[in-house]
Amino acid sequence: MISVVLALIAAAGYGVSDFFGGIAARRVTALRVVVVSYPWSVLLVLLIAPLVGGHPDTASMLWGLAAGVASGLAVWWFYAALADGPMAVVSPVTAVLVAGIPVIAGFFLGERPGPAAIAGIALALVAVVLVSREAPDETTEEIIGGRQLRFSRRVALLTVGSGAAFGFAFFFLHETDPAAGLWPLLGQRGAATAVVWICALAAGQFAGLHGEPLRLALWIGVLDVIANAALLYAFHGAMLSVVSVIGSLYPAATVLLAMVLLGERISRTQKFGLVLALAAVAMIAAG
């Protein structure tokens, strides 16, 4: 039960972080936001990890580095897919891969959740797709200048690559040793920072922030550390398949905040997805 709560905290942290990132990205590019938030999260882990304790071993640090490279590539490919592809397709496909790959990995690791948990996992996979779906609106059409977005072969590869990379990042964190404490997160955040910095330099978007975007980027860094730390501890107390699926429900928090704080209208499909997400968590917890 504690692991389920931690996984929910992780999902909420990721969701709120994405919400802040969405607000900041309306003023500057998303890459410029993570160029600041990622190294800030490294500093935060450096401050917190010694207080938590733990003895980092080589294997756990390598798993952390692998998770960082995977998550950094996932962010890079996800933004690239959204730049040329329809969000209503890219987002849900990515989401189901993020949730589904760890479930498959857990099965091969010998995990066998109970019947209620299995039903909850299946329901959560449906929920994350529904919540992630966004229909193109007039604002989107204005931003892209009337350009028709297609789910081309390149966009499909970027989408699948992003979802798979996120999913494997979850798996890599799961493989760390509980005795290592939060030290694997230092490797994760450091490697992810290196990847997004290289991406930003290549795209000519390596620049600082100021004002509201800077404040939001700092909050994003804090939330990322909280979410990743909660997820790490959840992995050490429960099955990979269960924790990953709950953690992948983060779009629900983003949608709820957009609806409540920004007054954005959400579709009936998304509302139904939110209800399914709640039911899925209850079933997983009961299982």
Side-chain angles (χ1 to χ4, degrees):
M1 184 63 183
I2 294 177
S3 293
V4 171
V5 173
L6 287 172
L8 284 172
I9 292 174
Y14 289 135
V16 178
S17 174
D18 282 357
F19 174 74
F20 285 164
I23 294 176
R26 293 180 178 180
R27 299 194 176 187
V28 297
T29 62
L31 267 178
R32 287 184 60 191
V33 176
V34 294
V35 160
V36 174
S37 66
Y38 275 34
W40 168 235
S41 68
V42 172
L43 294 177
L44 291 175
V45 175
L46 273 173
L47 291 173
I48 297 171
L51 302 177
V52 175
H55 304 283
D57 59 283
T58 302
S60 292
M61 295 305 294
L62 289 175
W63 283 120
L65 287 171
V69 172
S71 59
L73 289 173
V75 169
W76 182 359
W77 293 337
F78 184 62
Y79 290 153
L82 288 180
D84 294 322
M87 184 179 293
V89 179
V90 172
S91 186
V93 170
T94 300
V96 77
L97 287 171
V98 174
I101 286 178
V103 171
I104 297 172
F107 179 83
F108 282 104
L109 289 174
E111 293 183 354
R112 298 296 184 269
I118 292 175
I121 289 172
L123 200 62
L125 290 173
V126 176
V128 73
V129 173
L130 297 180
V131 172
S132 301
R133 287 192 62 84
E134 294 185 38
D137 53 22
E138 294 179 359
T139 303
T140 303
E141 292 175 2
E142 290 175 4
I143 292 174
I144 64 175
R147 179 166 54 93
Q148 186 175 9
L149 300 178
R150 296 182 179 276
F151 196 67
S152 63
R153 182 174 181 274
R154 175 179 176 276
V155 172
L157 289 173
L158 288 169
T159 301
V160 172
S162 175
F166 271 128
F168 279 109
F170 279 10
F171 169 72
F172 295 151
L173 281 181
H174 174 268
E175 293 301 294
T176 60
D177 191 329
L182 291 179
W183 290 108
L185 287 188
L186 182 61
Q188 183 220 28
R189 304 315 296 170
T193 297
V195 172
V196 298
W197 276 14
I198 292 171
C199 174
L201 285 170
Q205 296 181 17
F206 194 92
L209 301 175
H210 62 274
E212 184 182 15
L214 175 59
R215 290 191 293 271
L216 289 170
L218 295 179
W219 276 113
I220 289 169
V222 172
L223 290 165
D224 279 348
V225 171
I226 293 173
N228 281 289
L231 194 69
L232 186 66
Y233 283 120
F235 279 140
H236 293 158
M239 288 182 283
L240 168 65
S241 54
V242 170
V243 173
S244 295
V245 166
I246 295 177
S248 68
L249 291 172
Y250 61 87
T254 307
V255 170
L256 280 173
L257 286 173
M259 180 179 65
V260 175
L261 298 182
L262 301 181
E264 292 187 2
R265 290 179 295 178
I266 65 174
S267 67
R268 291 182 179 179
T269 299
Q270 288 176 305
K271 290 178 181 178
F272 184 56
L274 292 174
V275 174
L276 288 185
L278 292 174
V281 171
M283 294 174 70
I284 290 172

